[in-house]
Amino acid sequence: MEWFPGDAVERCGNPLEMHNRHYFRSEEFSDIQLQAFGKTYRLHRFCLVRSPFFHRMFTGDWSESAANKVSLDSQCNLQGLTKDGLELALEFLYTAKLEPKFLDDFGEALLVLKFLLMDAAVEELLNKLDRSLEVKDHYRVSHTAAICRESIKGLWDL
């Protein structure tokens, strides 16, 4: 029996991405619980440390570095961070792919990615947005971006 059926690899294009996506969704072999937005995510440190935020959390002189459960609930209270944005960012940590389905998802993902100090992912998402944005949506996106910058002063300067 093949580990990855041939048609699944063809659809996904990358066996490692498919492997990581499976573990993100199944929670199998998880070694850390992340509490955020009233939900507990069972995740894997080896994927989370792709984010400088989590890398510092797990390798620094913090209580979280040895803990099996961490909470982001207090940080998630920042205006603009959403559950959907967090889940897009977490999936990116596992698969290295950013695939927001709706225009509003781009903004939510950008805020969380910036919060997690993932500047390369922010740039990738902005490039994807720039290539796919229709003229009629430019005003809405730039207006939303201005509101986000105002509501989370200093976050963009990290």
Side-chain angles (χ1 to χ4, degrees):
M1 178 179 198
E2 286 183 85
W3 178 250
F4 298 111
D7 64 329
V9 172
E10 201 172 294
R11 282 192 316 269
C12 182
N14 181 334
L16 182 58
E17 176 193 333
M18 186 174 151
H19 176 80
N20 287 350
R21 190 179 307 269
H22 165 77
Y23 286 104
F24 175 61
R25 292 185 178 151
S26 76
E27 304 172 353
E28 190 176 7
F29 301 116
S30 68
D31 59 355
I32 187 80
Q33 292 181 36
L34 179 69
Q35 178 71 36
F37 299 104
K39 181 176 178 179
T40 300
Y41 299 87
R42 299 178 64 77
L43 303 169
H44 308 84
R45 289 175 192 261
F46 81 93
C47 286
L48 294 181
V49 296
R50 292 185 62 219
S51 155
F53 176 87
F54 287 117
H55 188 271
R56 291 174 189 165
M57 177 186 285
F58 296 145
T59 60
D61 229 4
W62 314 101
S63 60
E64 292 89 353
S65 65
N68 292 326
K69 187 173 188 175
V70 295
S71 175
L72 289 184
D73 281 329
S74 60
Q75 291 95 333
C76 287
N77 287 332
L78 287 172
Q79 186 179 354
L81 298 183
T82 66
K83 180 178 175 252
D84 291 340
L86 176 65
E87 290 176 355
L88 282 167
L90 291 175
E91 189 160 359
F92 175 78
L93 289 172
Y94 278 76
T95 65
K97 285 200 170 200
L98 287 166
E99 298 175 348
K101 292 176 178 61
F102 304 104
L103 186 59
D104 292 340
D105 293 344
F106 277 95
E108 293 173 7
L110 280 170
L111 286 172
V112 175
L113 290 169
K114 191 63 181 176
F115 174 76
L116 296 177
L117 307 174
M118 299 175 64
D119 293 335
V122 167
E123 188 166 332
E124 178 185 330
L125 190 56
L126 288 172
N127 288 336
K128 184 179 274 194
L129 178 63
D130 192 41
R131 289 189 306 270
S132 64
L133 195 61
E134 295 180 23
V135 173
K136 66 182 178 68
D137 294 319
H138 273 280
Y139 173 76
R140 186 169 124 207
V141 170
S142 43
H143 180 70
T144 303
I147 291 170
C148 290
R149 283 180 186 259
E150 279 301 308
S151 63
I152 308 178
K153 283 197 180 290
L155 180 64
W156 298 96
D157 302 327
L158 297 175

